[in-house]
Amino acid sequence: MTRRLLIVEDDPGLQSQMRWCFSEELEVTVASDRESALAALRRTEPEVVTLDLGLPPDPGGATEGFALLEDILKLAPMTKVIVVTGREDKENAVRAIGMGASDFYQKPLDADILTFVVNRAFRLAELERENRDLAGQRNGTTIKGIVAASPQMLGICRTLEKVAPTDVTTLITGETGTGKELLARALHDLSPRADKPFAAINCAAIPENLLESELFGFEKGSFTGATQSKKGKIESANGGTLFLDEIGDMPMALQAKLLRFLQERMVDRVGSVKPIPVDVRVVCATHRDVRQLIDSGDFREDLYYRISEITLDVPSLRERDGDALLIAQHLLKTLGKQMDRTNLAFTEEAINAINSYSWPGNVREMINKVKRATIMADGKRVTAEDLELSSGEALNGGHINLRQVREQAERQAILQALQSSGFNMAQAARLLGVTRPTLYNLTDKYKISTTAEPSEV
């Protein structure tokens, strides 16, 4: 793969020297101002950019260089930018690193040192690309379709891998949208029955009077409209896996017949007197608390023990440390390819919003929001607004800033003290353990009204 370098430098002499350093090793493009640099960035998509901050029309300052740095990081966030500064310009170098530049180089030009710094940036870009590719292939687990790196979900995956080769009846519990059917299919795919049928039926989606015939089948003439015999889902899964989704909604009368099947592995079709032997593995799932259903008399306790020889309790997305962002990035990459919008990336604001949001609809809700954002995003950056998420909740997520937490706590304490004291500043200061001048300074800092009128919250 050809390595591409963009040199942004307005001095023709330095342009020639820098080009000479890399002419035999790299595909080098040179730009002398912000406009030509952005055009070259879009045209060549370089992995590394060297950026002189002193560009026209401000060659003696750094305003144009910082503006270009911001543009580069927005358009190509994976690009490694090496900022070139003067010997006495350390403050600008530090500021550039804080903005997102990967490294800096101080003039005057030394070919060996510059080559070393640029090669290091290329190596870093290569390692990050390999890590992204590896993460996209494995996602922390070998189970197809499961994107996870959290210890909570990886523990479920390890248990699943141990259970899959057996024929043990498994119950998968968890909130709606957590991927219970995906895990059921993984149990089938990792089992010796993988080349046999996988039959799924949603017990909550079929009317009670039809569910029995759908599960167990029926004989010709057994009821009005039964013009021919038909196999049920259980027979259709013979040799493979039967997945009973939302089993917590199965009617009590049918629970007894299912229990008999689980005990004897014989199917009684509706209208038949001849049992049919069936070899099938049973996997069940529900979003309901089966223990509560047992206590309320809506679920048979003996059936519960039959279907829960092994139980997999799938955590919600908000309980999976770090998985929300991992799944969102995976979805953005996958949906971007499907919609011909590759190289999309989340802004820092969007990342904070993803981490702080509680995701009540779990992965299903995330798919909905990321798909919308993939369509609505302008340019290559996906914002919190594109996701229809609020970025104001970031303190509740994984990106916590200690200063912000402290300031928020101070602000809330001041408001509480003022309200408790009836906005008497002397009394409020005593409650807080500070002097009145300190309290006035704090109310000014946080723009808190010192009167009983409604203040900013």
Side-chain angles (χ1 to χ4, degrees):
M1 181 177 179
T2 303
R3 289 180 166 186
R4 296 179 297 275
L5 171 68
L6 171 61
I7 297 173
V8 185
E9 171 61 60
D10 64 328
D11 186 319
L14 284 176
Q15 284 182 6
S16 299
Q17 291 181 54
M18 294 177 75
R19 181 189 283 274
W20 174 82
C21 291
F22 306 109
S23 59
E24 296 181 1
E25 304 174 21
L26 308 172
E27 181 182 310
V28 181
T29 306
V30 177
S32 57
D33 55 35
R34 183 178 174 187
E35 184 178 349
S36 61
L38 290 175
L41 183 76
R42 292 187 176 95
R43 185 177 69 255
T44 64
E45 297 183 348
E47 293 92 346
V48 178
V49 175
T50 65
L51 171 60
D52 183 6
L53 293 177
L55 296 174
D58 184 25
T63 55
E64 193 71 0
F66 280 125
L68 178 55
L69 173 61
E70 190 174 358
D71 289 338
I72 292 172
L73 295 175
K74 284 182 179 178
L75 289 171
M78 298 298 109
T79 301
K80 303 303 166 195
V81 181
I82 301 169
V83 170
V84 180
T85 66
R87 178 64 67 182
E88 305 300 326
D89 212 5
K90 292 183 179 179
E91 289 185 3
N92 281 340
V94 173
R95 180 184 168 190
I97 296 296
M99 290 176 63
S102 64
D103 209 342
F104 70 93
Y105 173 79
Q106 290 182 324
K107 298 177 181 177
L109 180 66
D110 183 305
D112 291 336
I113 296 176
L114 180 60
T115 301
F116 173 81
V117 172
V118 170
N119 285 337
R120 182 170 61 186
F122 273 113
R123 180 56 181 157
L124 178 60
E126 182 181 344
L127 288 173
E128 289 183 355
R129 184 172 60 251
E130 290 173 356
N131 285 337
R132 288 195 301 271
D133 292 343
L134 186 61
Q137 293 168 8
R138 296 192 52 149
N139 300 312
T141 175
T142 58
I143 297 176
K144 180 182 177 182
I146 300 295
V147 180
S150 65
Q152 298 90 337
M153 197 62 190
L154 290 180
I156 293 292
C157 293
R158 298 294 86 80
T159 301
L160 187 146
E161 289 169 345
K162 293 178 182 178
V163 172
T166 71
D167 269 345
V168 65
T169 303
T170 306
L171 175 63
I172 305 174
T173 61
E175 295 180 8
T176 299
T178 51
K180 296 186 291 295
E181 183 169 352
L182 202 60
L183 291 174
R185 289 187 177 275
L187 280 170
H188 174 72
D189 293 339
L190 295 175
S191 75
R193 300 174 179 267
D195 58 342
K196 298 295 192 297
F198 177 90
I201 187 168
N202 189 320
C203 300
I206 300 174
E208 181 176 347
N209 60 333
L210 296 178
L211 184 56
E212 181 180 7
S213 59
E214 283 293 317
L215 268 176
F216 295 93
F218 54 85
E219 293 291 348
K220 180 179 179 180
S222 56
F223 54 83
T224 303
T227 57
Q228 59 183 7
S229 298
K230 181 184 176 183
K231 289 182 179 180
K233 286 287 186 181
I234 297 176
E235 279 188 79
S236 299
N238 189 31
T241 301
L242 173 69
F243 177 50
L244 300 176
D245 198 8
E246 298 300 350
I247 194 170
D249 294 291
M250 179 175 282
M252 283 292 288
L254 199 52
Q255 290 179 30
K257 189 168 183 178
L258 178 63
L259 176 62
R260 179 177 176 82
F261 161 70
L262 292 173
Q263 290 172 336
E264 301 181 3
R265 301 291 166 161
M266 303 285 286
V267 169
D268 292 314
R269 289 184 183 176
V270 177
S272 173
V273 294
K274 183 181 178 181
I276 302 169
V278 177
D279 172 29
V280 68
R281 184 204 188 143
V282 179
V283 179
C284 305
T286 181
H287 74 283
R288 306 184 67 180
D289 187 331
V290 182
R291 284 291 184 181
Q292 287 186 1
L293 294 175
I294 292 172
D295 293 340
S296 63
D298 294 319
F299 201 87
R300 295 179 62 108
E301 188 172 13
D302 49 2
L303 178 59
Y304 169 71
Y305 292 125
R306 276 288 180 182
I307 64 174
S308 62
E309 293 174 336
I310 291 289
T311 299
L312 298 177
D313 188 12
V314 186
S316 62
L317 190 53
R318 61 184 169 275
E319 298 171 321
R320 296 166 55 176
D321 299 338
D323 275 359
L325 181 57
L326 184 67
I327 295 171
Q329 289 174 331
H330 174 79
L331 288 171
L332 188 65
K333 180 180 179 181
T334 303
L335 294 170
K337 285 183 178 179
Q338 292 176 3
M339 300 181 187
D340 196 25
R341 297 209 63 187
T342 56
N343 298 323
L344 288 175
F346 293 114
T347 63
E348 187 67 24
E349 180 188 43
I351 290 172
N352 289 343
I354 290 168
N355 284 323
S356 63
Y357 186 56
S358 62
W359 297 107
N362 293 292
V363 180
R364 190 172 292 129
E365 180 183 8
M366 181 176 281
I367 293 171
N368 177 286
K369 289 189 178 295
V370 175
K371 181 176 287 188
R372 179 193 183 279
T374 304
I375 298 169
M376 300 301 296
D378 294 322
K380 298 291 185 181
R381 305 281 277 174
V382 176
T383 66
E385 288 74 20
D386 296 328
L387 290 164
E388 292 188 327
L389 295 178
S390 169
S391 60
E393 302 175 5
L395 290 177
N396 297 324
H399 292 253
I400 298 175
N401 181 285
L402 185 59
R403 178 183 57 79
Q404 290 177 306
V405 173
R406 184 172 60 246
E407 290 179 352
Q408 182 177 340
E410 280 185 350
R411 195 173 191 281
Q412 291 298 326
I414 293 166
L415 283 170
Q416 185 175 349
L418 287 171
Q419 291 165 358
S420 299
S421 63
F423 287 83
N424 182 307
M425 293 297 284
Q427 187 177 346
R430 285 195 297 272
L431 287 172
L432 293 168
V434 299
T435 63
R436 285 181 66 188
T438 298
L439 181 56
Y440 276 110
N441 288 336
L442 289 170
T443 55
D444 289 343
K445 175 183 177 181
Y446 296 122
K447 296 181 174 60
I448 297 174
S449 174
T450 56
T451 66
E453 297 175 0
S455 61
E456 181 187 354
V457 178

